[in-house]
Amino acid sequence: MKTYDSFPEPIGGYTVGRTQMDFEYTASDNSIRELTAFVYYPSDSSEGKSTSTYMFPEVYEMFNEQPLVTAYLEGKDFFSIDIKTQCYDDIALSGKQKRYPVLFYVCGGGGSPEWGTVICTDLASIGYVVVSIGHPNSTMYKRKDGRLFNISKDFSDVIMAFSEDPEMLALAGKMEMRPDDETAMEMCRNVLALPILAKLTEYSELQAEDIRYVADYLYNLDSGELNSIFKGRLLLDIGIGIVGHSYGGLTTAIVCRDDDRFICGIGLDSGAFGLLDSNLKKTFLLLFCEPNYNMNVIIGANNSMETYYFSVDRVSHLDYCDIVFTHVNKELRGERDAMEMRNLVTDYTKNFFDHYILQKAANVESLAYDGVDLIKKTRQNSTGLIQ
């Protein structure tokens, strides 16, 4: 399997800038949430700077303190952080457009906000401002102030308990590839009713709160209430998009359901935990490995806007993030070439947001990748599901 010393060149014409911001606020559960975020944005020049560091070594070293990771890998290397990025820290925002549309990226649970560097860079290179947040307890990161935050023991315990839950394992063993809707719905409802999911959903709700807080902050940056390069430069009135991988996909769906500033979302190999009776009321796309349709069918059944279900063959769960380029453990990878997988994920994400945020003609149904199938496109109305 090919190894890479740098991430691929971005797909768009803009040079990509990256800046880091720290945040702190009191959440609805009265906890103090200390966040960080990487913001990727269009620029006109690298200004002679070297490319941004991919992941801080101190953050990578914290993997060894995560019980879930150490139990899963049994002493094997996870991935390498010795790779060249295609973005530059703290350069000027491009002057080519007056304002730029905004997206959020949500990494998987136990991961780091840098894990979406490739897709965030690609999207910024075509003219989006993209925000990737480090969430307390459920992700690991180094704040700009230098402090390190690792996955909390409680979150690790909850993930471990879910992965070992006898009821969940029994249900997983019964999941079918491409089941009929009635079978898939029964399976999905049985999974979502598991008591073990209640705590996982609480963490997703807190992550969603983090995103809403940072969205508020962006509005203040754009208004000039807070001084930054983004003053008067964010195109917020057309709505915000959001994409999340794995556990981050749950947060993505919750944000879409609860915040009307977010007008569409994408879940990358995610699930529907906490969404048993939820109408997202937003256009939503799910790109996943089989048999994950069983875990998500309820989203489209309840959603009053379009829900797209695309299955992708010959891939594994972590192929949807940067690990396609940084991996050293081939057991974590699917069979698709890293560049093909990157192009696939970026194309579906780009076309979806270009269509639903920028109202461009591009659409996801026009894309053609071998082994990527549109299982279903649904929309709920008073007469039931329209396919």
Side-chain angles (χ1 to χ4, degrees), residues 48-68:
K49 291 188 175 184
S50 300
T51 52
S52 307
T53 299
Y54 174 48
M55 181 184 284
F56 298 116
E58 311 96 292
V59 175
Y60 181 72
E61 288 168 8
M62 290 194 294
F63 266 111
N64 295 324
E65 301 167 23
Q66 285 192 44
L68 181 63

Side-chain angles (χ1 to χ4, degrees), residues 232-290:
R233 305 297 307 281
L234 301 178
L235 187 58
L236 295 165
D237 59 352
I238 61 171
I240 304 171
I242 181 168
V243 52
H245 172 230
S246 187
Y247 187 73
L250 315 182
T251 301
T252 293
I254 290 170
V255 168
C256 285
R257 181 192 68 191
D258 295 343
D259 192 328
D260 286 341
R261 295 174 298 183
F262 291 80
I263 61 172
C264 57
I266 299 173
L268 301 174
D269 213 38
S270 56
F273 306 161
L275 301 171
L276 190 58
D277 298 306
S278 294
N279 178 0
L280 300 189
K281 298 177 286 187
K282 310 291 170 59
T283 306
F284 207 78
L285 183 147
L286 292 145
L287 195 68
F288 54 86
C289 315
E290 293 278 25

Side-chain angles (χ1 to χ4, degrees), residues 57-93:
E58 311 96 292
V59 175
Y60 181 72
E61 288 168 8
M62 290 194 294
F63 266 111
N64 295 324
E65 301 167 23
Q66 285 192 44
L68 181 63
V69 171
T70 52
Y72 177 63
L73 293 174
E74 297 176 341
K76 301 170 187 171
D77 288 330
F78 194 177
F79 66 96
S80 169
I81 60 171
D82 186 21
I83 192 165
K84 180 177 176 286
T85 68
Q86 301 288 349
C87 52
Y88 302 85
D89 285 344
D90 300 312
I91 55 179
L93 182 63

